[in-house]
Amino acid sequence: MGLSYNVYLNSSRIYGCKTCKTHLANHDDIASRNFRGQHGKAYLFKSVVNINQSEASERSMTTGRHVVRDISCKQCKETVGWKYDKAYEASEKYKEGMYILEAELLCTVH
């Protein structure tokens, strides 16, 4: 396997991994700030970079059952949130393919 390179975002506000400061998401890609994670406040993002994804698993969450994958920083391997693969409730389908990053696990890089 070849070398894995990090993606560097170019934006006025960039969120990174709190542990190693690796770029994870652009502020403009926030779809919603009205989410909660295990560590408190969380953001729903349309896209993120520099992550690894775990195997998909079905979980019961406050908004119903979802198929999700934990996501971790590609650089330091710290878990930073999860990705929604599937929502069973029609009202939750908008989350499919989107990512949750927990505010407590992020820092502002730029």
Side-chain angles (χ1 to χ4, degrees):
M1 193 154 103
L3 291 174
S4 176
Y5 293 99
N6 283 343
V7 173
Y8 292 93
L9 299 170
N10 185 14
S11 174
S12 60
R13 191 164 183 195
I14 297 167
Y15 294 99
C17 173
K18 187 176 184 178
T19 303
C20 69
K21 313 253 185 305
T22 296
H23 291 193
L24 296 175
N26 180 340
H27 179 77
D28 296 333
D29 286 332
I30 293 177
S32 176
R33 292 182 182 85
N34 194 23
F35 280 81
R36 307 277 305 162
Q38 291 178 329
H39 300 94
K41 189 175 185 176
Y43 307 120
L44 182 68
F45 283 87
K46 297 174 207 164
S47 67
V48 296
V49 296
N50 300 321
I51 55 138
N52 292 319
Q53 299 181 30
S54 70
E55 292 295 316
S57 64
E58 194 170 296
R59 293 190 196 150
S60 287
M61 302 178 126
T62 56
T63 56
R65 298 213 38 88
H66 296 81
V67 176
V68 299
R69 298 171 186 267
D70 286 330
I71 58 174
S72 58
C73 173
K74 185 165 81 172
Q75 190 69 36
C76 70
K77 313 296 186 240
E78 188 74 31
T79 299
V80 292
W82 65 88
K83 177 184 180 187
Y84 287 103
D85 279 352
K86 181 175 180 167
Y88 292 104
E89 300 289 329
S91 62
E92 303 297 314
K93 292 279 187 193
Y94 74 95
K95 297 177 186 174
E96 291 181 350
M98 292 196 192
Y99 303 84
I100 290 287
L101 293 179
E102 298 201 46
E104 181 65 28
L105 307 175
L106 302 177
C107 66
T108 303
V109 178
H110 195 285

